[in-house]
Amino acid sequence: MEGQKNDFGQGSVAGNIMAMAVPMTVAQILNVLYNIVDRMYIGHIPGESSLALTGVGLTFPIISMVTAFSNLYGMGGSPLCSIARGEGKLDRAEEIMENSFWMLVGTGVILTVFFLAVQKPLLYAFGASDDTISYAVSYLTIYLLGNLFVMVGLGMNPFINAQGFGKVGMITVGLGAVINLILDPVFIFVLKMGVRGAALATIFSQFCSAVWVLRFLTGKKAILRLHLRRPRMNRALCRQIVSLGTSSFVMNFTNSVVQIACNRQLQIYGGDLYVGVMTILNSIREVLVMPANGLTNGAQPVLSFNYGARKNGRVKQGIRFTTMICVLYTCMAWALTLLFPRFFIQIFNDEPGLLQAGVGAMHIYFFGFCFMALQFSGQAVFVGLGQAKYAVTFSLLRKVVIVVPLTFLLPLIPGVGLYGVFLAEPISNVLGGCACFFTMLAVIWNRKLRDDI
């Protein structure tokens, strides 16, 4: 039967997770390339690279907000889909997917209109200067005009992965990333469009990804099919989707809050140069967290399915495996940032002043990066098993309760200054990661999964 395909309740748990995680990790890395490639090319525009890179970096909080709403519905609906599929309730799973789709479309239209109306005062509030505002507005205006494509592509792709089609999900972002990689140098350098060309390449790439997602989900190969009929919204389901997706939403939204706080503080203590340094460090961090995100995102449908099927022993196996791989990977990533900081920075910009400022900041920013493994693992388990309350709590704890206050307080300490902005991140990794993981052990491992069914 079609409903028996991609049964995560059979075979090796580690094998099921890796079968999903490998293509999803590749997909995550390719997805980051949408924006990373832009920054790499923009950082090497002759005569204006540093200001252009800083200007585009100022748009990150708004782009993160768009991603936050995509994840609110995509990462909120897809675990519920997996749980319903594990329970054999395919009609309910399809209804969850359809409600998520229409919420994505409606929110996408609202966000586009809102941010286009207020983008310039927002960018100044986020730390833009008169030298960087034109670059930021040029990039963001075009990006927002394609916002609906971004939201549909990002928000609906998790429903492909939730059905066990990890390779198809990988192709979704791979298709867009390759198109973006080709178009970026053409638009930026050949057609001399600068930052506007980078934004246009990104939006066209996201349009192609969105079309691919919709063609698959409405086609015959999908186990759960998206029916693009007149919207029929189920308020109870919408509340469940939003409740579970709030964790991913908060993680991305609080990233925006942190970026705003960091940019404002760095503008005060270091000026445009250090805002550019933070842009590069955020870009490097996006790349380094992708394999861990790919692994945990790959684990989520496996954990959700087995939890819905009441196979608690397999859920425990999945948690152990995911945590071990996350810890090993983040230790390796931390070592790379310590050993080769100049290599990573030069990918984006090779100006001597920015390199000199960036190396020291990078060593501070990535200190204790291995503790992020605990946050990744704990958060994945909370989301995969539908524990929205805990997932949201620890998303807020690390960013809002720890990072933002420290970003404002640490620079006031004599002798610390602007480096306190970079120091807030590693402190939050240790405190937030440990709190999330050990609470997961107490709540999930020792209570929810104490009996192997």
Side-chain angles (χ1 to χ4, degrees):
M1 291 176 61
E2 194 170 45
Q4 299 302 315
K5 293 179 182 177
N6 299 329
D7 185 350
F8 297 132
Q10 304 296 324
S12 163
V13 174
N16 283 332
I17 291 175
M18 292 307 295
M20 291 296 297
V22 170
M24 288 179 74
T25 298
V26 175
Q28 290 277 351
I29 293 171
L30 292 173
N31 190 42
V32 168
L33 287 177
Y34 276 122
N35 293 320
I36 295 296
V37 169
D38 287 352
R39 298 166 212 168
M40 289 167 59
Y41 284 120
I42 289 169
H44 292 89
I45 295 175
E48 54 184 89
S49 60
S50 181
L51 289 176
L53 185 63
T54 300
V56 172
L58 291 165
T59 68
F60 291 176
I62 294 177
I63 293 172
S64 292
M65 290 179 195
V66 170
T67 303
F69 279 98
S70 301
N71 287 341
L72 176 63
Y73 308 125
M75 300 305 291
S78 57
L80 292 176
C81 244
S82 293
I83 291 172
R85 199 165 76 88
E87 294 171 337
K89 300 176 181 177
L90 300 188
D91 289 340
R92 176 180 171 81
E94 287 189 345
E95 188 179 5
I96 292 168
M97 181 167 62
E98 289 174 18
N99 277 259
S100 298
F101 172 77
W102 289 114
M103 285 193 288
L104 279 164
V105 171
T107 305
V109 173
I110 293 170
L111 290 178
T112 298
V113 174
F114 173 75
F115 282 127
L116 282 173
V118 301
Q119 60 173 319
K120 196 164 184 178
L122 273 182
L123 289 167
Y124 271 120
F126 293 170
S129 67
D130 291 337
D131 293 328
T132 58
I133 189 67
S134 61
Y135 297 105
V137 170
S138 295
Y139 185 89
L140 188 59
T141 299
I142 294 175
Y143 188 93
L144 289 173
L145 291 174
N147 179 49
L148 194 57
F149 308 139
V150 176
M151 292 196 66
V152 170
L154 290 178
M156 293 307 295
N157 203 42
F159 291 94
I160 295 177
N161 296 322
Q163 299 177 50
F165 296 105
K167 292 180 180 178
V168 177
M170 177 184 70
I171 293 173
T172 301
V173 291
L175 175 68
V178 170
I179 293 173
N180 192 40
L181 188 65
I182 295 170
L183 293 182
D184 253 334
V186 175
F187 289 168
I188 294 172
F189 299 112
V190 178
L191 299 181
K192 301 185 184 302
M193 296 178 67
V195 295
R196 289 173 299 184
L200 186 61
T202 297
I203 291 310
F204 185 78
S205 303
Q206 293 282 16
F207 168 77
C208 295
S209 293
V211 170
W212 171 268
V213 168
L214 293 180
R215 286 195 63 182
F216 181 83
L217 289 175
T218 57
K220 295 181 179 179
K221 292 183 179 180
I223 298 171
L224 306 173
R225 195 169 300 173
L226 177 65
H227 303 283
L228 297 179
R229 54 196 175 210
R230 185 172 59 87
R232 295 189 300 177
M233 305 303 290
N234 182 320
R235 291 185 180 181
L237 275 184
C238 288
R239 283 195 295 269
Q240 290 181 46
I241 291 166
V242 170
S243 176
L244 189 55
T246 299
S247 167
S248 294
F249 174 83
V250 168
M251 288 183 70
N252 283 280
F253 191 84
T254 52
N255 280 341
S256 297
V257 175
V258 170
Q259 288 164 0
I260 293 166
C262 289
N263 287 342
R264 287 189 63 84
Q265 288 292 87
L266 289 172
Q267 189 65 252
I268 293 170
Y269 288 96
D272 288 336
L273 174 65
Y274 279 92
V275 176
V277 169
M278 182 59 84
T279 298
I280 291 175
L281 296 187
N282 277 328
S283 302
I284 295 168
R285 185 176 182 278
E286 283 183 50
V287 174
L288 292 180
V289 301
M290 282 304 104
N293 279 337
L295 175 66
T296 53
N297 287 342
Q300 279 179 18
V302 179
L303 297 175
S304 299
F305 185 98
N306 283 286
Y307 186 66
R310 298 183 62 80
K311 297 183 177 182
N312 288 1
R314 293 178 63 82
V315 177
K316 283 189 171 184
Q317 290 178 45
I319 295 172
R320 279 193 295 264
F321 177 77
T322 302
T323 303
M324 179 185 69
I325 298 300
C326 268
V327 169
L328 290 174
Y329 168 74
T330 51
C331 285
M332 181 189 72
W334 182 18
L336 289 175
T337 63
L338 287 173
L339 295 172
F340 309 107
R342 295 178 68 88
F343 167 78
F344 286 108
I345 295 170
Q346 284 178 312
I347 293 173
F348 298 94
N349 192 278
D350 55 6
E351 292 185 5
L354 195 145
L355 270 173
Q356 183 178 357
V359 170
M362 187 171 181
H363 283 155
I364 296 171
Y365 189 76
F366 285 98
F367 184 83
F369 187 67
C370 56
F371 284 92
M372 278 298 294
L374 303 182
Q375 180 84 25
F376 290 137
S377 301
Q379 201 78 17
V381 176
F382 284 133
V383 173
L385 274 59
Q387 302 298 307
K389 176 177 66 176
Y390 293 103
V392 173
T393 297
F394 289 106
S395 293
L396 286 170
L397 174 67
R398 198 173 77 82
K399 293 292 186 179
V400 176
V401 178
I402 301 175
V403 176
V404 172
L406 289 179
T407 299
F408 288 99
L409 294 175
L410 291 176
L412 300 176
I413 299 174
V416 177
L418 66 86
Y419 288 105
V421 178
F422 301 102
L423 186 59
E425 183 71 16
I427 293 174
S428 76
N429 289 345
V430 176
L431 298 180
C434 289
C436 180
F437 185 77
F438 290 115
T439 301
M440 182 275 292
L441 290 181
V443 173
I444 301 295
W445 189 276
N446 293 331
R447 296 182 196 172
K448 297 277 182 187
L449 305 177
R450 61 183 177 270
D451 298 320
D452 291 347
I453 298 174

